[in-house]
Amino acid sequence: GNLDPEDVNEKLLYDTFSSFGTIIKPPKIMRDDMTNQSKGFGFVSYDCFEASDLAVECMHQQFLCNRQVIVQYAFKKASNTEETGQAKNNNA
């Protein structure tokens, strides 16, 4: 969370977070449907938990484009309402 809506794009997320491991799908920044402006958070998906653990450990509360970002796991709710962890980071 707390991504700079003007300066942080998917390429920057990829370039920044690919050093921690293999990214399995392109990073996604969540955007407003009407304006396409960044909502200030996005997702990076790794091939293993070790890579995502390293990204969280190294990048949480660090600065990206002059903003202190929040890097944490994102949890996807399953249809039975159980939470299942994905090797996914909520980047900022």
Side-chain angles (χ1 to χ4, degrees):
N2 201 34
L3 296 176
D4 185 306
E6 301 295 322
D7 294 331
V8 177
N9 60 26
E10 285 82 353
K11 181 182 182 328
L12 181 61
L13 285 185
Y14 183 88
D15 291 347
T16 301
F17 286 89
S18 63
S19 62
F20 301 109
T22 303
I23 294 176
I24 57 174
K25 60 182 179 179
K28 178 160 181 67
I29 292 177
M30 302 311 293
R31 299 181 182 278
D32 181 276
D33 290 336
M34 301 294 284
T35 65
N36 201 38
Q37 183 168 351
S38 168
K39 292 183 177 183
F41 68 97
F43 300 92
V44 176
S45 298
Y46 290 98
D47 66 341
C48 65
F49 283 105
E50 291 79 11
S52 51
D53 286 343
L54 187 60
V56 170
E57 182 181 323
C58 294
M59 290 299 297
H60 182 63
Q61 296 187 333
Q62 296 302 308
F63 285 83
L64 186 62
C65 293
N66 297 316
R67 282 202 181 188
Q68 191 173 25
V69 296
I70 299 164
V71 180
Q72 60 192 16
Y73 276 101
F75 292 96
K76 193 176 204 176
K77 290 231 177 191
S79 58
N80 64 1
T81 70
E82 240 181 68
E83 288 191 354
T84 55
Q86 302 290 317
K88 194 181 256 194
N89 286 334
N90 180 350
N91 292 334

